[in-house]
PDB file of all heavy atoms in Angstrom:
ATOM      1  N   ALA A1235      14.762  53.773 -14.886  1.00 95.00           N
ATOM      2  CA  ALA A1235      15.077  54.012 -13.473  1.00 95.00           C
ATOM      3  C   ALA A1235      16.584  53.980 -13.252  1.00 95.00           C
ATOM      4  O   ALA A1235      17.142  54.812 -12.518  1.00 95.00           O
ATOM      5  CB  ALA A1235      14.390  52.957 -12.599  1.00 95.00           C
ATOM      6  N   SER A1236      17.272  53.039 -13.906  1.00 95.00           N
ATOM      7  CA  SER A1236      18.728  52.972 -13.782  1.00 95.00           C
ATOM      8  C   SER A1236      19.388  54.200 -14.393  1.00 95.00           C
ATOM      9  O   SER A1236      20.315  54.778 -13.816  1.00 95.00           O
ATOM     10  CB  SER A1236      19.255  51.706 -14.466  1.00 95.00           C
ATOM     11  OG  SER A1236      18.970  50.563 -13.698  1.00 95.00           O
ATOM     12  N   ALA A1237      18.920  54.600 -15.567  1.00 96.00           N
ATOM     13  CA  ALA A1237      19.524  55.741 -16.259  1.00 96.00           C
ATOM     14  C   ALA A1237      19.365  57.028 -15.455  1.00 96.00           C
ATOM     15  O   ALA A1237      20.329  57.785 -15.271  1.00 96.00           O
ATOM     16  CB  ALA A1237      18.898  55.893 -17.648  1.00 96.00           C
ATOM     17  N   PHE A1238      18.159  57.268 -14.955  1.00 97.00           N
ATOM     18  CA  PHE A1238      17.918  58.488 -14.191  1.00 97.00           C
ATOM     19  C   PHE A1238      18.665  58.450 -12.860  1.00 97.00           C
ATOM     20  O   PHE A1238      19.195  59.466 -12.399  1.00 97.00           O
ATOM     21  CB  PHE A1238      16.418  58.667 -13.958  1.00 97.00           C
ATOM     22  CG  PHE A1238      16.048  59.990 -13.353  1.00 97.00           C
ATOM     23  CD1 PHE A1238      16.508  61.179 -13.902  1.00 97.00           C
ATOM     24  CD2 PHE A1238      15.243  60.058 -12.221  1.00 97.00           C
ATOM     25  CE1 PHE A1238      16.170  62.410 -13.340  1.00 97.00           C
ATOM     26  CE2 PHE A1238      14.902  61.273 -11.654  1.00 97.00           C
ATOM     27  CZ  PHE A1238      15.367  62.448 -12.208  1.00 97.00           C
ATOM     28  N   GLY A1239      18.729  57.266 -12.247  1.00 96.00           N
ATOM     29  CA  GLY A1239      19.491  57.133 -11.013  1.00 96.00           C
ATOM     30  C   GLY A1239      20.964  57.410 -11.240  1.00 96.00           C
ATOM     31  O   GLY A1239      21.609  58.094 -10.432  1.00 96.00           O
ATOM     32  N   GLY A1240      21.524  56.885 -12.334  1.00 96.00           N
ATOM     33  CA  GLY A1240      22.927  57.143 -12.643  1.00 96.00           C
ATOM     34  C   GLY A1240      23.209  58.611 -12.863  1.00 96.00           C
ATOM     35  O   GLY A1240      24.242  59.131 -12.427  1.00 96.00           O
ATOM     36  N   LEU A1241      22.278  59.309 -13.524  1.00 96.00           N
ATOM     37  CA  LEU A1241      22.432  60.745 -13.747  1.00 96.00           C
ATOM     38  C   LEU A1241      22.422  61.506 -12.423  1.00 96.00           C
ATOM     39  O   LEU A1241      23.257  62.395 -12.193  1.00 96.00           O
ATOM     40  CB  LEU A1241      21.310  61.250 -14.653  1.00 96.00           C
ATOM     41  CG  LEU A1241      21.280  62.755 -14.937  1.00 96.00           C
ATOM     42  CD1 LEU A1241      22.550  63.189 -15.650  1.00 96.00           C
ATOM     43  CD2 LEU A1241      20.051  63.117 -15.765  1.00 96.00           C
ATOM     44  N   CYS A1242      21.497  61.143 -11.547  1.00 96.00           N
ATOM     45  CA  CYS A1242      21.417  61.816 -10.234  1.00 96.00           C
ATOM     46  C   CYS A1242      22.674  61.542  -9.410  1.00 96.00           C
ATOM     47  O   CYS A1242      23.219  62.446  -8.766  1.00 96.00           O
ATOM     48  CB  CYS A1242      20.183  61.333  -9.480  1.00 96.00           C
ATOM     49  SG  CYS A1242      18.613  61.872 -10.186  1.00 96.00           S
ATOM     50  N   GLY A1243      23.152  60.293  -9.421  1.00 94.00           N
ATOM     51  CA  GLY A1243      24.341  59.953  -8.656  1.00 94.00           C
ATOM     52  C   GLY A1243      25.569  60.680  -9.143  1.00 94.00           C
ATOM     53  O   GLY A1243      26.376  61.178  -8.339  1.00 94.00           O
ATOM     54  N   ALA A1244      25.744  60.758 -10.458  1.00 94.00           N
ATOM     55  CA  ALA A1244      26.891  61.469 -11.018  1.00 94.00           C
ATOM     56  C   ALA A1244      26.840  62.948 -10.663  1.00 94.00           C
ATOM     57  O   ALA A1244      27.870  63.565 -10.361  1.00 94.00           O
ATOM     58  CB  ALA A1244      26.918  61.284 -12.535  1.00 94.00           C
ATOM     59  N   THR A1245      25.646  63.515 -10.685  1.00 94.00           N
ATOM     60  CA  THR A1245      25.491  64.926 -10.329  1.00 94.00           C
ATOM     61  C   THR A1245      25.828  65.157  -8.865  1.00 94.00           C
ATOM     62  O   THR A1245      26.514  66.127  -8.510  1.00 94.00           O
ATOM     63  CB  THR A1245      24.052  65.391 -10.611  1.00 94.00           C
ATOM     64  OG1 THR A1245      23.743  65.166 -11.996  1.00 94.00           O
ATOM     65  CG2 THR A1245      23.879  66.870 -10.284  1.00 94.00           C
ATOM     66  N   LEU A1246      25.370  64.242  -7.998  1.00 91.00           N
ATOM     67  CA  LEU A1246      25.677  64.363  -6.570  1.00 91.00           C
ATOM     68  C   LEU A1246      27.176  64.293  -6.314  1.00 91.00           C
ATOM     69  O   LEU A1246      27.699  65.000  -5.441  1.00 91.00           O
ATOM     70  CB  LEU A1246      24.965  63.258  -5.781  1.00 91.00           C
ATOM     71  CG  LEU A1246      23.455  63.405  -5.612  1.00 91.00           C
ATOM     72  CD1 LEU A1246      22.867  62.160  -4.953  1.00 91.00           C
ATOM     73  CD2 LEU A1246      23.121  64.645  -4.787  1.00 91.00           C
ATOM     74  N   LEU A1247      27.876  63.442  -7.054  1.00 90.00           N
ATOM     75  CA  LEU A1247      29.323  63.335  -6.874  1.00 90.00           C
ATOM     76  C   LEU A1247      30.015  64.664  -7.119  1.00 90.00           C
ATOM     77  O   LEU A1247      30.989  65.011  -6.451  1.00 90.00           O
ATOM     78  CB  LEU A1247      29.887  62.275  -7.825  1.00 90.00           C
ATOM     79  CG  LEU A1247      31.407  62.093  -7.796  1.00 90.00           C
ATOM     80  CD1 LEU A1247      31.857  61.552  -6.444  1.00 90.00           C
ATOM     81  CD2 LEU A1247      31.872  61.195  -8.923  1.00 90.00           C
ATOM     82  N   LEU A1248      29.481  65.434  -8.050  1.00 89.00           N
ATOM     83  CA  LEU A1248      30.112  66.689  -8.429  1.00 89.00           C
ATOM     84  C   LEU A1248      29.726  67.865  -7.534  1.00 89.00           C
ATOM     85  O   LEU A1248      30.438  68.870  -7.503  1.00 89.00           O
ATOM     86  CB  LEU A1248      29.776  67.018  -9.885  1.00 89.00           C
ATOM     87  CG  LEU A1248      30.237  65.980 -10.920  1.00 89.00           C
ATOM     88  CD1 LEU A1248      29.731  66.345 -12.304  1.00 89.00           C
ATOM     89  CD2 LEU A1248      31.750  65.837 -10.921  1.00 89.00           C
ATOM     90  N   VAL A1249      28.603  67.750  -6.818  1.00 89.00           N
ATOM     91  CA  VAL A1249      28.130  68.904  -6.039  1.00 89.00           C
ATOM     92  C   VAL A1249      28.154  68.692  -4.529  1.00 89.00           C
ATOM     93  O   VAL A1249      28.070  69.663  -3.781  1.00 89.00           O
ATOM     94  CB  VAL A1249      26.702  69.305  -6.472  1.00 89.00           C
ATOM     95  CG1 VAL A1249      26.664  69.654  -7.946  1.00 89.00           C
ATOM     96  CG2 VAL A1249      25.685  68.209  -6.159  1.00 89.00           C
ATOM     97  N   LEU A1250      28.294  67.444  -4.052  1.00 84.00           N
ATOM     98  CA  LEU A1250      28.266  67.183  -2.617  1.00 84.00           C
ATOM     99  C   LEU A1250      29.622  66.689  -2.130  1.00 84.00           C
ATOM    100  O   LEU A1250      30.379  66.088  -2.894  1.00 84.00           O
ATOM    101  CB  LEU A1250      27.202  66.126  -2.278  1.00 84.00           C
ATOM    102  CG  LEU A1250      25.740  66.500  -2.519  1.00 84.00           C
ATOM    103  CD1 LEU A1250      24.840  65.317  -2.148  1.00 84.00           C
ATOM    104  CD2 LEU A1250      25.357  67.742  -1.721  1.00 84.00           C
ATOM    105  N   PRO A1251      29.936  66.915  -0.841  1.00 82.00           N
ATOM    106  CA  PRO A1251      31.182  66.364  -0.281  1.00 82.00           C
ATOM    107  C   PRO A1251      31.098  64.846  -0.230  1.00 82.00           C
ATOM    108  O   PRO A1251      30.029  64.268  -0.012  1.00 82.00           O
ATOM    109  CB  PRO A1251      31.231  66.973   1.126  1.00 82.00           C
ATOM    110  CG  PRO A1251      29.814  67.315   1.449  1.00 82.00           C
ATOM    111  CD  PRO A1251      29.180  67.717   0.141  1.00 82.00           C
ATOM    112  N   ALA A1252      32.236  64.194  -0.440  1.00 71.00           N
ATOM    113  CA  ALA A1252      32.255  62.729  -0.495  1.00 71.00           C
ATOM    114  C   ALA A1252      31.742  62.097   0.791  1.00 71.00           C
ATOM    115  O   ALA A1252      31.091  61.047   0.760  1.00 71.00           O
ATOM    116  CB  ALA A1252      33.676  62.247  -0.781  1.00 71.00           C
ATOM    117  N   GLU A1253      31.996  62.721   1.927  1.00 76.00           N
ATOM    118  CA  GLU A1253      31.603  62.146   3.207  1.00 76.00           C
ATOM    119  C   GLU A1253      30.099  61.925   3.317  1.00 76.00           C
ATOM    120  O   GLU A1253      29.642  61.013   4.007  1.00 76.00           O
ATOM    121  CB  GLU A1253      32.067  63.040   4.362  1.00 76.00           C
ATOM    122  CG  GLU A1253      33.577  63.146   4.512  1.00 76.00           C
ATOM    123  CD  GLU A1253      34.188  64.148   3.538  1.00 76.00           C
ATOM    124  OE1 GLU A1253      33.422  64.808   2.799  1.00 76.00           O
ATOM    125  OE2 GLU A1253      35.434  64.270   3.522  1.00 76.00           O
ATOM    126  N   ALA A1254      29.320  62.764   2.645  1.00 76.00           N
ATOM    127  CA  ALA A1254      27.864  62.690   2.758  1.00 76.00           C
ATOM    128  C   ALA A1254      27.322  61.356   2.271  1.00 76.00           C
ATOM    129  O   ALA A1254      26.380  60.813   2.841  1.00 76.00           O
ATOM    130  CB  ALA A1254      27.221  63.837   1.963  1.00 76.00           C
ATOM    131  N   PHE A1255      27.909  60.821   1.224  1.00 70.00           N
ATOM    132  CA  PHE A1255      27.415  59.551   0.690  1.00 70.00           C
ATOM    133  C   PHE A1255      28.248  58.371   1.160  1.00 70.00           C
ATOM    134  O   PHE A1255      27.729  57.283   1.392  1.00 70.00           O
ATOM    135  CB  PHE A1255      27.406  59.596  -0.844  1.00 70.00           C
ATOM    136  CG  PHE A1255      26.539  58.540  -1.466  1.00 70.00           C
ATOM    137  CD1 PHE A1255      25.173  58.717  -1.563  1.00 70.00           C
ATOM    138  CD2 PHE A1255      27.087  57.368  -1.965  1.00 70.00           C
ATOM    139  CE1 PHE A1255      24.360  57.747  -2.136  1.00 70.00           C
ATOM    140  CE2 PHE A1255      26.292  56.396  -2.547  1.00 70.00           C
ATOM    141  CZ  PHE A1255      24.929  56.584  -2.628  1.00 70.00           C
ATOM    142  N   ASP A1256      29.560  58.576   1.334  1.00 70.00           N
ATOM    143  CA  ASP A1256      30.433  57.481   1.757  1.00 70.00           C
ATOM    144  C   ASP A1256      30.000  56.891   3.095  1.00 70.00           C
ATOM    145  O   ASP A1256      30.238  55.705   3.354  1.00 70.00           O
ATOM    146  CB  ASP A1256      31.880  57.973   1.873  1.00 70.00           C
ATOM    147  CG  ASP A1256      32.500  58.234   0.506  1.00 70.00           C
ATOM    148  OD1 ASP A1256      31.889  57.826  -0.497  1.00 70.00           O
ATOM    149  OD2 ASP A1256      33.576  58.847   0.449  1.00 70.00           O
ATOM    150  N   ALA A1257      29.361  57.699   3.932  1.00 78.00           N
ATOM    151  CA  ALA A1257      28.960  57.227   5.250  1.00 78.00           C
ATOM    152  C   ALA A1257      27.961  56.077   5.183  1.00 78.00           C
ATOM    153  O   ALA A1257      27.931  55.211   6.067  1.00 78.00           O
ATOM    154  CB  ALA A1257      28.368  58.381   6.060  1.00 78.00           C
ATOM    155  N   ILE A1258      27.126  56.037   4.133  1.00 77.00           N
ATOM    156  CA  ILE A1258      26.116  54.977   4.055  1.00 77.00           C
ATOM    157  C   ILE A1258      26.520  53.833   3.129  1.00 77.00           C
ATOM    158  O   ILE A1258      25.802  52.834   3.045  1.00 77.00           O
ATOM    159  CB  ILE A1258      24.761  55.538   3.593  1.00 77.00           C
ATOM    160  CG1 ILE A1258      24.822  56.001   2.126  1.00 77.00           C
ATOM    161  CG2 ILE A1258      24.287  56.647   4.483  1.00 77.00           C
ATOM    162  CD1 ILE A1258      23.464  56.318   1.549  1.00 77.00           C
ATOM    163  N   VAL A1259      27.662  53.940   2.452  1.00 72.00           N
ATOM    164  CA  VAL A1259      28.082  52.876   1.538  1.00 72.00           C
ATOM    165  C   VAL A1259      28.247  51.534   2.248  1.00 72.00           C
ATOM    166  O   VAL A1259      27.731  50.514   1.772  1.00 72.00           O
ATOM    167  CB  VAL A1259      29.386  53.281   0.808  1.00 72.00           C
ATOM    168  CG1 VAL A1259      29.989  52.089   0.071  1.00 72.00           C
ATOM    169  CG2 VAL A1259      29.104  54.401  -0.171  1.00 72.00           C
TER     170      VAL A1259
END
């Protein structure tokens, strides 16, 4: 679960604007 989550998160960093995730941090 950690490995797959890390892969998804890294992919999101490269394809989505930072504001989309930073808002919920």
Side-chain angles (χ1 to χ4, degrees):
S1236 286
F1238 188 51
L1241 177 62
C1242 291
T1245 303
L1246 287 173
L1247 177 65
L1248 300 174
V1249 301
L1250 294 179
E1253 295 81 4
F1255 198 81
D1256 288 348
I1258 68 169
V1259 169

